[in-house]
Amino acid sequence: MSGPSERSATPAEREQYLARSPYNVVHLTLPDDEQRAARDLADWRAWGVLARDSEPSAWLLSQDYTGPDGVQRTRSGLVASLRAEPYDRGVVLPHERTHSGPKEGRLRLLRATRTQLEPIFLLYEGDAVALPDGEPDLQSGGDRLWRVDETPDFSDVELLIADGHHRYETALAYAAEGGSPYLMVVFVPTRQEGLTIFPTHRVAAHVNGERGTPIDEPDDELPGVVLYRDGRYELLESDALDVEVVDRLAPTGVTYTPRREDAVATVDRGEAEAAFLLRPTRIEDVWAVARRGETMPQKSTYFFPKLTSGLLFHPLD
């Protein structure tokens, strides 16, 4: 049943997931309409496709993956229920801006299903989670899950949203309507080799005449924000974070890609005027922005991999 998280599938990918199984999670997370998703969820429960735990439980999660850089890693965390608190209480910190459109659709889906269908990705400063030696209770691809009865106390722990801002804010809106304030989260400690952030490059239809210092084609370690167009590379020197440099320049017709070669190829094909090649945002910079009460432009961070959908659901009634 597993599928993409954070509604990241393209229309073609959505059709592929839908065709894989009548019980693929995409039938719920990317439905034709919200009421159909609610009916499907109710049917899956009635038919035994989904099994509901008789007692509340948390889960240890391990994700084996190969990053865009070709390196194999493992990321671990704890899946649990968390009460959504407004940002101004300082319990959970955001770091990216959101848009109203996606939240409106998510709220309709939450009202219809009364179920948190996908987890929020939260960071905290801590050491890697110790995993059991025994066989996992659930496994799909590189994801392994063990049910646990006891969990650490996170009541005084500062939490940062790595991925899932729209769904977190949707949970707040749902609670404000009188719905359950709880949501499913994965607590991921920062002190582990498996926690990686990759860059998201910007491809722009127009760059408003922006110019930089001409440089030779850079290697994998970029010297800063690099503007690529007409087969040439230019360095945009600044002390600001790479994503903020591009945001201030306000290019238009922007699309995003995590693959540098795809950004360059799009420009070479004449489908865009230029590409902004960025370095990964460092985790310490993300924390610093969040602690100042500020937010970064959308797609400032690319935590890889995204959390897998469809392994666990969090019913709210």
Side-chain angles (χ1 to χ4, degrees):
M1 286 180 58
S2 59
S5 181
E6 193 70 5
R7 297 194 171 192
S8 57
T10 66
E13 289 171 337
R14 173 182 179 270
E15 292 303 318
Q16 291 173 6
Y17 280 110
L18 291 175
R20 285 185 183 182
S21 169
Y23 310 121
N24 192 282
V25 69
V26 170
H27 289 275
L28 306 180
T29 58
L30 292 172
D32 291 327
D33 64 77
E34 293 79 13
Q35 294 306 317
R36 174 62 184 270
R39 291 194 298 272
D40 284 342
L41 182 60
D43 287 342
W44 295 1
R45 287 170 170 166
W47 299 338
V49 175
L50 298 176
R52 182 162 183 170
D53 282 350
S54 58
E55 298 292 334
S57 61
W59 300 74
L60 292 177
L61 169 66
S62 173
Q63 290 184 286
D64 296 330
Y65 67 95
T66 300
D69 56 359
V71 177
Q72 294 184 346
R73 300 180 179 90
T74 299
R75 187 178 69 197
S76 61
L78 173 72
V79 189
S81 179
L82 178 73
R83 182 185 180 94
E85 299 284 358
Y87 292 143
D88 58 12
R89 296 183 183 174
V91 177
V92 176
L93 304 178
H95 78 271
E96 285 190 352
R97 305 167 195 161
T98 58
H99 299 287
S100 60
K103 288 185 287 188
E104 292 169 359
R106 293 180 188 282
L107 184 56
R108 291 194 300 270
L109 183 61
L110 187 54
R111 288 170 181 154
T113 62
R114 300 190 300 280
T115 300
Q116 292 286 352
L117 301 172
E118 299 178 279
I120 307 296
F121 187 164
L122 294 180
L123 295 177
Y124 69 96
E125 293 185 326
D127 296 322
V129 174
L131 299 173
D133 294 326
E135 291 296 312
D137 295 291
L138 288 174
Q139 184 166 0
S140 177
D143 287 24
R144 295 174 294 158
L145 286 154
W146 293 264
R147 185 185 284 105
V148 292
D149 297 323
E150 297 183 2
T151 63
D153 183 5
F154 286 93
S155 59
D156 295 323
V157 176
E158 190 174 44
L159 302 170
L160 174 70
I161 300 177
D163 199 6
H165 289 78
H166 288 92
R167 277 179 285 118
Y168 188 86
E169 293 174 20
T170 297
L172 290 173
Y174 186 66
E177 296 179 344
S180 170
Y182 288 91
L183 70 167
M184 179 169 53
V185 304
V186 180
F187 297 104
V188 177
T190 56
R191 293 194 289 270
Q192 58 174 314
E193 293 183 3
L195 179 64
T196 51
I197 306 179
F198 292 94
T200 301
H201 308 294
R202 276 67 167 146
V203 180
H206 303 286
V207 295
N208 304 321
E210 185 60 37
R211 292 287 176 183
T213 303
I215 60 172
D216 294 332
E217 180 178 353
D219 56 21
D220 292 340
E221 297 293 329
L222 297 177
V225 178
V226 174
L227 179 64
Y228 175 79
R229 63 178 159 199
D230 299 327
R232 300 189 301 272
Y233 296 86
E234 302 171 17
L235 177 63
L236 304 179
E237 299 186 50
S238 173
D239 294 330
L241 297 177
D242 288 8
V243 292
E244 294 174 343
V245 171
V246 179
D247 192 54
R248 292 170 185 173
L249 296 176
T252 58
V254 176
T255 58
Y256 306 88
T257 176
R259 297 173 59 85
R260 171 175 161 178
E261 57 269 31
D262 290 347
V264 169
T266 300
V267 177
D268 287 343
R269 290 194 301 268
E271 297 173 7
E273 179 185 350
F276 294 92
L277 309 180
L278 279 59
R279 296 168 296 183
T281 304
R282 301 183 306 167
I283 185 62
E284 53 265 38
D285 292 327
V286 179
W287 275 109
V289 169
R291 285 168 176 157
R292 292 196 301 266
E294 301 173 0
T295 55
M296 305 170 73
Q298 193 176 35
K299 297 188 181 296
S300 291
T301 54
Y302 178 32
F303 288 92
F304 187 92
K306 286 182 174 291
L307 296 172
T308 305
S309 300
L311 299 176
L312 297 171
F313 299 123
H314 186 348
L316 300 177
D317 55 14

